[in-house]
Amino acid sequence: MEEGAPKRLTARGERTRAALVDAARVVFERDGYLDARLTDITAEAGCSTGTFYTYFTSKEEIFAALMEVTKNEMLHPGMDHVEGDDPAAVIEASNRAYLEAYRRNAKLMRLMEEVAYIDPKFMALRRERARIFVQRNAQAIANLQERGLADPELDPLMASRALSAMISRLAVSAFALGTEDIDFEEFVYTATRLWCNGLRIEHQLSRGS
């Protein structure tokens, strides 16, 4: 969604735009997408409606910008440093960082699910987000295969689609929709063990590792 991409701005302009996006997060999480109003966003940001239109053209556009910020946070969640070269430990750290980021952004993820089903543009955005995650994980699986650490018979893209979908749907149920009462540590342990077992990666995982 190109309209959500930031224009070249001064340092002050960047700060103002970021303040509007932060304010939008507060309003969307509080009021939902349909009930959120631009006047509420500008009031939260402490700026005028005219200032808003300097950076965004609509509620849809600032929501897209907010979801872009969230996507980047979840793609690069700052996972803990892993000592050594144990693929299972890397997978565990990656799963933990992703799920922690998802949990932090649970209200926005729920909104994304809701808006995607009423607006085709956001459905396309949701699918593009999923494609990026799948492609990244497929590359990681292919790298493990090249190093002789994962099942060489698996198609890395198909394996990534299956494993990524598993994590995504569980995260939606546990954090976005709140329909599952899931212990976080058990979630990370199970997800990591299934990843390793599915890819036939040798591991010494245990609960609380």
Side-chain angles (χ1 to χ4, degrees):
M1 189 173 291
E2 294 295 327
E3 61 203 22
K7 306 174 181 64
R8 187 180 298 277
L9 300 172
T10 64
R12 181 180 179 182
E14 290 284 2
R15 290 193 298 271
T16 302
R17 185 182 187 279
L20 282 163
V21 172
D22 289 343
R25 177 176 187 132
V26 172
V27 173
F28 284 127
E29 288 186 342
R30 184 188 68 210
D31 301 336
Y33 180 77
L34 294 179
D35 291 334
R37 300 180 303 174
L38 295 186
T39 52
D40 295 328
I41 294 173
T42 55
E44 181 69 27
C47 68
S48 67
T49 302
T51 299
F52 176 91
Y53 285 113
T54 300
Y55 302 95
F56 302 100
T57 62
S58 63
K59 179 172 75 171
E60 177 188 83
E61 186 173 343
I62 197 169
F63 185 69
L66 175 58
M67 296 312 301
E68 181 67 16
V69 171
T70 307
K71 181 194 75 175
N72 290 335
E73 178 185 345
M74 296 178 70
L75 270 172
H76 310 287
M79 65 184 232
D80 293 339
H81 175 70
V82 177
E83 295 290 343
D85 194 30
D86 178 4
V90 173
I91 292 170
E92 192 275 344
S94 179
N95 281 337
R96 180 179 297 279
Y98 172 80
L99 292 171
E100 286 175 342
Y102 199 108
R103 183 166 60 175
R104 285 195 303 272
N105 292 288
K107 290 181 179 179
L108 289 179
M109 293 298 98
R110 183 178 68 240
L111 282 179
M112 185 64 185
E113 291 288 317
E114 294 171 356
V115 176
Y117 285 99
I118 61 175
D119 189 324
K121 291 186 291 297
F122 283 102
M123 178 60 78
L125 180 62
R126 182 181 182 278
R127 288 172 177 161
E128 176 61 14
R129 287 167 60 93
R131 186 194 67 79
I132 292 171
F133 280 96
V134 167
Q135 289 286 355
R136 185 188 66 175
N137 290 337
Q139 184 59 57
I141 292 169
N143 289 340
L144 290 171
Q145 290 173 321
E146 291 170 4
R147 295 163 56 197
L149 298 174
D151 187 348
E153 298 301 316
L154 289 172
D155 175 78
L157 183 58
M158 186 59 67
S160 176
R161 284 174 176 162
L163 293 168
S164 300
M166 173 188 71
I167 299 292
S168 176
R169 295 316 302 174
L170 278 172
V172 168
S173 294
F175 305 132
L177 302 181
T179 57
E180 300 287 344
D181 183 16
I182 293 180
D183 177 85
F184 186 77
E185 292 302 320
E186 187 68 16
F187 192 170
V188 173
Y189 167 78
T190 302
T192 303
R193 193 175 183 96
L194 288 172
W195 264 80
C196 292
N197 289 348
L199 298 174
R200 295 177 62 185
I201 294 173
E202 294 185 5
H203 60 82
Q204 300 295 324
L205 293 171
S206 60
R207 286 176 174 83
S209 61

